[in-house]
Amino acid sequence: MESELVSRVEKDISDFDRIASALKVKSICNQFWSDVPIDSSISDAKYLMGDLPDTPSRVVDSAERTLGFLWLADLDDGSASVFECMEQLAPADFLAADTTILDALDILSSGERGHYYVLERNEVVGYLTYSDFFKPLGRLALLAVALETEDLALKLCRLPSLAEECWSKLPIERQKKAAQFYELRHDKAPAIVPGEYRTVVELIGCTYLTDKGNMIWKAKLATGSRREILGVFQKLKELRNMCAHPGSERRLLAEFSRERLIETVNAAKRMNDSLRQSYEQHLLDQFR
């Protein structure tokens, strides 16, 4: 019985990982502009590249093999050739096309590089910058992390052995706010009957993400200090809300630096591990 419960928990919580793992950097990387032949003059290279300072071109030989990369800012009228201006190939500059978006975020945020080139088999198919993580599919990967945290917190707080305690930990004004949402959803006011926890479970489902963090902290259902636990839920609330709305790319870039984003994602992963362990333990305790 216990092994069945554990495997069921592991199956439930792995769905979010499967969603995030299915999203690869190839789906968010940028396409190159026109290729520039290696024997092009500087003026010809400028013409081929157009007026796109943030878009590189591949430098190719007569067989269309990639020899390097050229950015408009690198072109120098005083240089003798495109070869002198181009960025040379180096193994550390590449990401495999099937690298997951979350793994790529970790790689990009751990170094000084502003971009990586995306390699599929033996072909360079695009380039990746930090802003690309906030494209729709990049936001979906980030959203999966935040939704997993909320889902785990909700399942934990709704356990029969914990629901009433968790609900009691919320301040009265937050309980009233949840009750308002309950009434909108069910077209009736909530009526809590002692010993019957169904209404309490439904009320917990009407709470905000930060409310769930508050219940988790006050009921001591996750490891970490008050600041750590509530901080994670607050950051995830901001990230989730912005990721869920189209047109939020600029705001995400302004609010989430590389350092803040990877810190938030890693903190969420640690929180998810803690919530998962707590949920598994309390679930098993009910049958002992």
Side-chain angles (χ1 to χ4, degrees):
M1 181 66 175
E2 289 187 7
S3 61
E4 284 184 20
L5 288 170
V6 172
S7 63
R8 194 181 308 159
V9 172
E10 291 174 346
K11 178 183 181 299
D12 288 344
I13 56 103
S14 65
D15 289 339
F16 292 97
D17 287 334
R18 282 196 287 271
I19 290 171
S21 296
L23 300 169
K24 314 293 186 180
V25 295
K26 186 182 178 182
S27 63
I28 63 170
C29 71
N30 303 283
Q31 301 300 306
F32 291 104
W33 193 237
S34 300
D35 290 343
V36 175
I38 187 65
D39 57 358
S40 300
S41 66
I42 298 299
S43 59
D44 285 345
K46 286 184 176 180
Y47 175 79
L48 288 169
M49 296 181 71
D51 189 22
L52 298 170
D54 298 325
T55 304
S57 290
R58 290 175 295 200
V59 178
V60 297
D61 62 13
S62 58
E64 297 189 350
R65 291 173 298 196
T66 302
L67 303 175
F69 306 97
L70 194 62
W71 297 75
L72 200 59
D74 295 331
L75 287 172
D76 183 356
D77 291 326
S79 298
S81 67
V82 165
F83 178 81
E84 294 179 1
C85 300
M86 74 179 187
E87 183 180 349
Q88 304 288 333
L89 300 178
D93 298 339
F94 295 96
L95 286 175
D98 62 353
T99 304
T100 70
I101 289 174
L102 293 181
D103 284 345
L105 174 64
D106 200 16
I107 293 169
L108 191 68
S109 300
S110 63
E112 299 294 326
R113 290 191 57 83
H115 62 271
Y116 280 88
Y117 299 107
V118 178
L119 186 67
E120 185 173 34
R121 298 184 180 87
N122 294 321
E123 182 183 2
V124 186
V125 296
Y127 65 100
L128 186 74
T129 66
Y130 178 64
S131 62
D132 296 323
F133 291 97
F134 300 125
K135 290 178 177 178
L137 289 179
R139 298 202 309 272
L140 182 57
L142 298 173
L143 195 57
V145 177
L147 290 178
E148 181 177 12
T149 306
E150 183 162 25
D151 185 64
L152 285 167
L154 183 60
K155 287 179 178 178
L156 184 55
C157 291
R158 278 177 152 179
L159 283 174
S161 59
L162 297 173
E164 291 185 353
E165 178 188 1
C166 288
W167 175 250
S168 70
K169 299 295 185 183
L170 277 183
I172 295 299
E173 65 273 13
R174 299 310 305 165
Q175 290 183 353
K176 289 180 179 178
K177 191 70 175 178
Q180 290 173 2
F181 280 117
Y182 178 98
E183 190 165 356
L184 287 173
R185 288 182 182 179
H186 300 274
D187 199 28
K188 64 179 181 179
I192 298 177
V193 178
E196 203 284 306
Y197 68 93
R198 180 178 296 277
T199 301
V200 173
V201 165
E202 292 174 341
L203 281 166
I204 290 173
C206 296
T207 59
Y208 283 33
L209 179 56
T210 47
D211 291 330
K212 296 177 182 71
N214 207 1
M215 289 186 286
I216 292 294
W217 167 65
K218 288 186 175 180
K220 296 180 172 57
L221 298 176
T223 56
S225 66
R226 176 182 182 276
R227 180 178 180 181
E228 290 169 341
I229 293 174
L230 298 187
V232 171
F233 279 87
Q234 178 60 38
K235 289 175 185 175
L236 285 178
K237 172 192 169 187
E238 297 171 22
L239 184 63
R240 181 201 63 184
N241 290 348
M242 283 188 270
C243 283
H245 292 91
S248 60
E249 290 87 348
R250 289 188 179 181
R251 187 179 172 198
L252 279 162
L253 277 169
E255 296 290 334
F256 284 91
S257 64
R258 292 191 195 192
E259 294 76 15
R260 187 176 188 228
L261 182 61
I262 194 62
E263 177 189 345
T264 300
V265 170
N266 286 339
K269 289 178 179 178
R270 292 192 296 271
M271 177 58 65
N272 292 347
D273 287 340
S274 180
L275 292 174
R276 189 177 300 122
Q277 291 170 12
S278 183
Y279 177 61
E280 180 181 314
Q281 185 60 53
H282 283 88
L283 185 64
L284 293 176
D285 287 346
Q286 292 181 171
F287 295 90
R288 288 175 177 163

